[in-house]
Amino acid sequence: MENVVEHLSKDCLLPLLRERVEELSSVEAVLSKRLSRAPTGVLNVSPHRGGFQYFRVTAKTGRKGEYIPEEKMSLASAIAQRDYDAKMLAEIQRLRAALEKCVVKYDVSIAENLYAQLHPARRSLVTPLVYPNEDFVAHWSAVKYAGRDFDADGPVLMTARGERVRSKSEIIIADALFRRGIPYRYEFPHELFAGAHETGAMRGAGGPAGGARAGRRGAGGTHAELRVRGCKRIVVYPDFTCLNVRTHQEFVWEHFGMIDVPEYCQNMASKMELYLQNGFCMGKNFVMTTETHDRPLNSMMVEKMLEQLM
């Protein structure tokens, strides 16, 4: 069969719906308060010598209304704003009521529960469209891959999870992820394309396996370059590939530890451009930290970043 959906992304709509309801309720309160203080009367607008004249109609003025001179144009603005606010208030109330009904009826857990409730004998035979968190993380974490080799004479720096990394700053990041229960892969290979804006980006799949196909390690560097159909395919090894358990989405975390070195900055700029060409967007599926010799990585900054991300 063709065009079969093999995996659905994690349903995160309900929190967004609730946030939207709260936002609409807040705006509704502001508009209601503003309308209670708005001037009365109806605003009439008449063409006049290539422009417009404004009149305020009340019970005392008759149908034509009282002319509003230039120096009192703020009154015309206030009445026009009131009319706009009243229409917006009606629309916001309609939208909020519709969303509140949706929030009550919308159950994002149905797909996950359907798989979880299957008999174990059947579950082992089924590939679900939506994995429960526990199963998704287990599949994602079980992926085998080959990272970069360590230099034989390099320092042995170990994380709380018991894996070797290349710097003390990476220990800070890895341990912060580990403490928060955020699954991650250290130096997992991602296959990118140079000039991906022309050739089309190829990144990791959204399923539990995740990540792009691993390529062979480049000589003496952090990536390998291969020529495929006239395009340059590059395998990069970001410091951390992390999993947001709530959304089932991966994000890459790069730490740039020597940005006070000009040559290092040039390489960083090139790498950032490559990521952008391949669909990695800052704050969405890509985050970065930096440091210099005089300003090392701050562990508190790492914690604050994770609070905002997760």
Side-chain angles (χ1 to χ4, degrees):
M1 295 178 62
E2 296 181 356
N3 301 322
V4 176
V5 177
E6 295 182 349
H7 175 73
L8 287 175
S9 60
K10 179 75 171 181
D11 193 336
C12 302
L13 184 58
L14 193 57
L16 295 177
L17 289 175
R18 287 172 174 154
E19 288 179 10
R20 188 61 171 174
V21 169
E22 292 179 3
E23 182 182 16
L24 290 174
S25 298
S26 177
V27 174
E28 182 180 339
V30 171
L31 290 178
S32 297
K33 184 176 182 180
R34 196 155 70 188
L35 284 168
S36 68
R37 299 179 302 201
T40 59
V42 176
L43 184 66
N44 278 351
V45 183
S46 298
H48 179 72
R49 296 180 180 178
F52 299 97
Q53 286 184 328
Y54 300 90
F55 300 85
R56 182 190 188 192
V57 180
T58 65
K60 297 180 180 180
T61 62
R63 295 179 61 183
K64 183 177 181 181
E66 178 184 4
Y67 172 69
I68 302 177
E70 186 69 29
E71 60 270 18
K72 293 185 178 180
M73 196 53 61
S74 60
L75 175 61
S77 297
I79 298 175
Q81 184 68 52
R82 180 206 64 194
D83 294 343
Y84 170 82
D85 288 347
K87 292 179 180 179
M88 276 302 302
L89 179 60
E91 289 298 313
I92 285 175
Q93 289 172 334
R94 180 184 64 80
L95 288 173
R96 179 179 55 78
L99 290 179
E100 286 177 340
K101 289 182 180 179
C102 185
V103 166
V104 171
K105 296 181 178 180
Y106 194 81
D107 187 355
V108 299
S109 63
I110 289 177
E112 295 180 25
N113 290 342
L114 182 61
Y115 177 72
Q117 291 168 3
L118 290 176
H119 188 279
R122 290 182 176 271
R123 195 184 309 164
S124 63
L125 302 174
V126 172
T127 300
L129 291 178
V130 180
Y131 284 86
N133 281 351
E134 184 177 345
D135 293 332
F136 191 94
V137 171
H139 280 79
W140 191 90
S141 301
V143 170
K144 304 297 183 182
Y145 66 94
R148 296 168 53 205
D149 296 330
F150 287 89
D151 294 333
D153 58 348
V156 178
L157 302 170
M158 306 297 292
T159 69
R161 199 169 74 170
E163 64 192 341
R164 186 179 178 183
V165 294
R166 301 180 190 280
S167 71
K168 293 179 180 179
S169 295
E170 289 181 345
I171 290 179
I172 292 175
I173 297 171
D175 288 353
L177 293 168
F178 183 64
R179 282 194 302 272
R180 290 177 175 267
I182 301 173
Y184 70 87
R185 301 168 183 159
Y186 181 67
E187 293 188 346
F188 180 80
H190 288 256
E191 184 180 272
L192 307 181
F193 283 81
H197 56 293
E198 298 174 355
T199 61
M202 291 184 63
R203 293 195 293 106
R213 296 186 303 276
R216 57 184 176 84
R217 180 173 179 267
T222 62
H223 62 261
E225 296 184 3
L226 304 175
R227 295 285 178 176
V228 179
R229 296 179 184 176
C231 300
K232 183 159 59 176
R233 189 176 69 190
I234 300 176
V235 177
V236 298
Y237 297 82
D239 298 320
F240 300 94
T241 300
C242 311
L243 178 66
N244 187 324
V245 177
R246 180 176 58 85
T247 65
H248 287 191
Q249 297 298 311
E250 290 181 2
F251 64 94
V252 162
W253 187 321
E254 285 278 26
H255 178 68
F256 298 105
M258 297 187 295
I259 63 170
D260 48 349
V261 179
E263 183 179 357
Y264 185 92
C265 276
Q266 289 291 332
N267 292 334
M268 181 183 76
S270 298
K271 196 171 188 180
M272 292 294 295
E273 182 178 355
L274 180 63
Y275 275 125
L276 185 60
Q277 289 176 358
N278 284 266
F280 288 91
C281 182
M282 184 73 71
K284 181 181 179 181
N285 56 357
F286 182 88
V287 296
M288 59 178 285
T289 44
T290 61
E291 67 178 309
T292 66
H293 178 75
D294 296 326
R295 299 183 69 87
L297 181 65
N298 188 322
S299 60
M300 294 300 295
M301 181 181 68
V302 172
E303 294 291 347
K304 288 182 179 180
M305 285 182 63
L306 289 175
E307 288 176 6
Q308 296 179 6
L309 285 168
M310 313 311 282

